[in-house]
Amino acid sequence: MSQDNNKNAILTIDGKNFTLPVVRGTEGDKAIDISRLLQDTGYMTLDTGYKNTGSCRSAITYLDGNDGILRYRGYAIEELAEKCLFIEVAYLLIHGHLPNKTEFDDFKYLLRRFALLHEDMIHFFDHFPPNAPPMSILSVMVNSLCNYYPEMSDDPLENINMAATRLISKIRTIAAFSYKKSLGHPLVYPRPDLNYCGNFLNMMFDKPVHPYEVRPEVVAAVNKLLILHADHEQNCSTSTVRLVGSAGVNLYASISAGINALWGPLHGGANEAVVAMLEMIHADGNDFKKYIDKAKDKSDPFKLSGFGHRVYKTYDPRGTIIQEACDDLLSLLNISDPLLDIARQLEEIALNDDYFIERHLFPNVDFYSGIIYRAIGIPTNMFTVMFALGRLPGWIAQWKEQQEDPTTKIGRPRQVYTGEVFREFVPMKDR
Ligand code: SDX
């Protein structure tokens, strides 16, 4: 591969040169456009896990994995996490600009108006077994919204803003209702006097016999966590939302697919897996060496959950903010969680071990988030639901960007076939 005077890439195959355009992003990221590769050369590319493949052009989120930079629509994650409300960031991701007062008040009004679920949907919860995984319930209920709000099933672009707002508001209610149902507790309906995160907490934890105190510091912690999870360019679940959406599927069904992808322990399910890992180490007498050795042993499938990242080869900037928020909240609530000490020791040991250093394995967004969720009282099996609540605006923004892009085509990757070559059919009597 070489470059011509116009900086295009020149690919030489079997002595023949092929010119491939070079695409440059606004932050200097470079790509070779191979849209015509197969038809011009007869060759395709192979890139298992898409480690080297860009699926789209996007103006929503920028990551720099070497310098640990994360920006939503150009704004630094550190500033947004410190200075914004989650619904402000949701608006920014979906509409491309921070809302002015009028836009924000209109958005807030719609979120309040859409907070309830259709009463018929509430009967769905009666038919999930009590131990049903909350991510499974979330995916079913979100997918079912298109039955109650059919305008999205006709034209994916129509009412996108209403559907997006409806979904951002209702996903909170679905999550809280599924938790109450799992406990056999009465449902707590949203209140008009509470903000987005305060309403979620109240729906989760308020009880007729024991009213829940919506503490500002807990609301602030949830607000920050949702912002930090709001988008992350073309990760597994976002790519799923885009792929499903590229077939012309409505927003709710596309998001439901993304929820299922996020559920995986290698992806959003890692925050639950981290706490299970820390509890296992705690129960094992804090035998850190045993688990570090297991993580390094190629014959052992065990990995350090919450460590490593496909893009970040330094600290995940979100992990740094979450760790600080963790310290702040636990001291404010006067909680000392032994798992936090174990997490810190594990991080210290791993970051001084050549295996982790050589592979650039640092704590990611999931390593400390579960400690905060525990301190708030959120059950472990709902940690990934919290991730989904945060990621929803990002999924919506990415889906909308794709739907509005006239160059979008249905996603349909190719393969390298490694099976049998042609063979004659043999009737069963002769086999
Ligand atoms: C999220 O993409 C995103 O942006 C995702 C996300 C988002 O906001 O959407 O950031 C959210 O999903 C964060 C990641 C959460 N997952 C985990 O914490 C699970 C543990 N992490 C690993 O499974 C892994 O690091 C991944 C899945 C996150 C990334 O895997 P890659 O990029 O496919 O890298 P790899 O598996 O090829 O690892 C490279 C090397 C391998 O060793 P060698 O074969 O080179 O000897 O590093 C090793 C791996 O075995 N390795 C680990 C490890 N992670 C990678 N070894 C031990 N423990 C780990 N956690």
Side-chain angles (χ1 to χ4, degrees):
M1 183 80 80
S2 58
Q3 276 191 313
D4 66 13
N5 301 335
N6 302 324
K7 298 283 182 214
N8 289 318
I10 305 297
L11 179 62
T12 304
I13 302 178
D14 307 331
K16 198 171 169 213
N17 287 345
F18 298 91
T19 301
L20 300 172
V22 170
V23 177
R24 291 175 192 280
T26 45
E27 287 283 352
D29 31 345
K30 300 182 289 290
I32 297 169
D33 183 339
I34 57 168
S35 311
R36 293 182 52 85
L37 184 71
L38 185 56
Q39 71 192 76
D40 288 357
T41 71
Y43 284 75
M44 65 180 101
T45 57
L46 179 64
D47 183 19
T48 307
Y50 308 118
K51 287 192 173 189
N52 308 283
T53 297
S55 62
C56 61
R57 290 177 170 83
S58 178
I60 298 170
T61 292
Y62 174 68
L63 302 190
D64 179 321
N66 295 319
D67 295 335
I69 294 172
L70 171 56
R71 298 190 198 125
Y72 297 159
R73 299 284 189 181
Y75 295 99
I77 190 64
E78 292 78 7
E79 278 214 278
L80 296 173
E82 200 50 46
K83 299 175 181 171
C84 283
L85 287 174
F86 169 62
I87 58 172
E88 222 177 322
V89 171
Y91 189 99
L92 167 68
L93 286 167
I94 294 169
H95 298 286
H97 65 274
L98 285 166
N100 60 34
K101 183 82 174 56
T102 308
E103 291 164 332
F104 183 69
D105 289 345
D106 292 348
F107 190 47
K108 224 171 31 173
Y109 164 74
L110 285 175
L111 286 170
R112 188 174 300 131
R113 198 180 112 196
F114 291 148
L116 290 170
L117 280 188
H118 191 296
E119 282 294 310
D120 289 354
M121 287 192 78
I122 293 175
H123 298 299
F124 285 37
F125 291 108
D126 298 335
H127 305 287
F128 293 114
N131 61 343
M135 283 296 274
S136 156
I137 296 173
L138 193 69
S139 158
V140 167
M141 296 301 283
V142 165
N143 198 49
S144 304
L145 286 172
C146 69
N147 303 320
Y148 291 84
Y149 305 97
E151 71 272 16
M152 281 308 292
S153 61
D154 303 333
D155 168 2
L157 283 184
E158 189 189 334
N159 297 324
I160 170 71
N161 292 337
M162 297 296 266
T165 310
R166 180 179 286 117
L167 194 40
I168 290 170
S169 186
K170 291 184 190 311
I171 198 169
R172 226 185 351 173
T173 312
I174 291 170
F177 281 13
S178 70
Y179 176 56
K180 284 300 195 188
K181 275 293 190 178
S182 73
L183 298 174
H185 289 183
L187 300 181
V188 175
Y189 278 59
R191 282 173 27 187
D193 61 314
L194 294 174
N195 71 11
Y196 186 88
C197 295
N199 239 324
F200 169 70
L201 287 165
N202 191 61
M203 288 192 279
M204 282 285 288
F205 301 121
D206 192 41
K207 289 194 279 284
V209 292
H210 187 62
Y212 175 71
E213 182 196 359
V214 181
R215 294 181 59 169
E217 57 269 17
V218 176
V219 172
V222 172
N223 183 71
K224 185 171 281 189
L225 281 167
L226 295 185
I227 289 173
L228 292 169
H229 287 81
D231 194 50
H232 215 239
E233 61 134 274
Q234 305 312 316
N235 58 83
C236 177
S237 53
T238 298
S239 299
T240 302
V241 169
R242 278 182 172 260
L243 191 59
V244 171
S246 74
V249 169
N250 68 68
L251 176 66
Y252 302 113
S254 303
I255 298 297
S256 176
I259 291 170
N260 287 308
L262 187 73
W263 193 359
L266 292 184
H267 190 14
N271 56 17
E272 291 182 28
V274 166
V275 166
M277 174 184 71
L278 296 174
E279 284 172 336
M280 194 162 51
I281 294 172
H282 189 44
D284 217 346
N286 293 2
D287 185 350
F288 295 104
K289 184 176 181 326
K290 172 181 170 186
Y291 289 91
I292 291 283
D293 289 346
K294 278 172 65 69
K296 291 156 63 174
D297 178 356
K298 290 301 161 209
S299 64
D300 189 328
F302 177 79
K303 288 193 190 299
L304 284 195
S305 286
F307 260 78
H309 198 276
R310 175 60 60 78
V311 178
Y312 290 123
K313 300 310 167 195
T314 182
Y315 267 96
D316 181 333
R318 301 166 297 177
T320 307
I321 299 170
I322 290 173
Q323 187 175 3
E324 287 160 16
C326 199
D327 290 340
D328 295 347
L329 186 69
L330 266 64
S331 57
L332 270 170
L333 299 181
N334 200 18
I335 293 173
S336 90
D337 185 342
L339 297 192
L340 179 56
D341 302 332
I342 292 171
R344 282 218 187 88
Q345 291 176 66
L346 192 61
E347 176 185 350
E348 173 74 19
I349 295 166
L351 295 188
N352 286 290
D353 183 299
D354 288 344
Y355 173 92
F356 294 88
I357 294 168
E358 286 157 11
R359 292 166 178 79
H360 307 289
L361 302 177
F362 288 83
N364 57 47
V365 67
D366 293 309
F367 192 60
Y368 288 102
S369 55
I371 310 282
I372 295 185
Y373 294 140
R374 274 161 60 91
I376 293 170
I378 292 171
T380 305
N381 70 355
M382 282 194 68
F383 287 3
T384 311
V385 169
M386 296 303 294
F387 196 139
L389 265 62
R391 184 52 52 88
L392 179 61
W395 285 332
I396 292 171
Q398 299 273 352
W399 183 89
K400 182 171 183 264
E401 182 179 66
Q402 173 179 266
Q403 298 288 329
E404 292 173 345
D405 177 354
T407 66
T408 292
K409 292 191 174 306
I410 185 169
R412 202 269 185 229
R414 299 301 305 275
Q415 63 170 24
V416 173
Y417 175 69
T418 56
E420 296 282 347
V421 294
F422 177 77
R423 46 183 172 168
E424 295 294 341
F425 177 75
V426 178
M428 190 174 288
K429 66 179 178 54
D430 301 331
R431 287 175 209 158

